[in-house]
Each structure stands twice: as C-alpha cells, then as structure tokens.
Amino acid sequence: MAADDAAFGGNHNNLIQNTFAARGVGSFVPLAVSMTGPGIIETGEQGTWNASVSNGNSPYNYTWHRRKPRSGPYQQVGTGSSYSGSGNGDQDFELKVVVTDSDTRSGTSMRRVIVGGIDHP
C-alpha cells in the first residue's frame, strides 16, 4: 500500500485490500452507498432517488424499501439504481436502498422524505 501511495497517490488502496481479502488475508473494504434525491416533496408530487456505490465489485443488485417513519417493517418497492415514487396524502416516509455486489457484500443508505413541506410527527 505504501508503494501505491507513493506511485499513484493511494488510488488503488481499495483494490489492493479487496484482492488480499479475496485470498483470505484481511477484510474487504465496506461498500459505500449513497442516495441522492429530494428530502421534501409536495403531496402527490413524484420524486426520483438515485443510489451510487463504491468499494465493491459489479454487477450490483439494488433493492428499494419504504415505510412510514418509525413504524413497522419496510416494504420492498423497487429494484435498480433509481426509484421513483410519490407522497401518499400528507404521510412522510422513510426510504432505504440496499446494494449487494457480486461478492455478496452489502451496504445501505436511508433518508426520511417529508411530504407537503411540513415535518409530520
């Protein structure tokens, strides 16, 4: 890794670490999952959220889940690197994306979406 730092500015550290981990030495670099999209939408307005991932090996499997804030289990609502949905009434919701790579490592990103511009309890 020191040689990579010196020669390439550390650009290959994750690749090196994952290569060793695949051979039983050390651990894999965790998947880094991020989500972009609106945090507030109007009632009935459609929003689109996108997931991106790094530190893994393609192909990636994306599953999107949604629920009312702090209530019960998430329900799966989509697959793929993006999800589009709308606010149902004035109910805020929590959105979660789970990404799994070809080595079956996974990572998660979550966000709360406020519907109608007011933070509902």
Side-chain angles (χ1 to χ4, degrees):
M1 298 256 227
D4 179 57
D5 288 341
F8 303 106
N11 291 333
H12 300 97
N13 284 344
N14 290 344
L15 175 62
I16 293 167
Q17 183 174 341
N18 285 341
T19 300
F20 277 97
R23 289 165 176 78
V25 179
S27 60
F28 286 100
V29 177
L31 292 186
V33 178
S34 62
M35 180 191 315
T36 59
I40 300 173
I41 59 174
E42 295 301 321
T43 302
E45 178 185 6
Q46 179 119 350
T48 299
W49 294 266
N50 298 289
S52 59
V53 61
S54 61
N55 300 340
N57 295 311
S58 61
Y60 297 104
N61 179 33
Y62 301 81
T63 42
W64 293 86
H65 308 266
R66 181 175 164 158
R67 73 175 183 183
K68 293 179 189 175
R70 302 177 300 274
S71 67
Y74 283 90
Q75 302 296 315
Q76 184 175 333
V77 293
T79 59
S81 62
S82 65
Y83 166 73
S84 293
S86 60
N88 299 331
D90 280 337
Q91 293 187 347
D92 300 347
F93 59 92
E94 294 173 350
L95 192 59
K96 173 173 78 169
V97 60
V98 179
V99 182
T100 306
D101 77 354
S102 63
D103 293 323
T104 67
R105 293 179 295 141
S106 64
T108 302
S109 181
M110 297 182 285
R111 87 166 1 163
R112 181 171 179 179
V113 178
I114 298 169
V115 177
I118 300 172
D119 189 3
H120 305 284

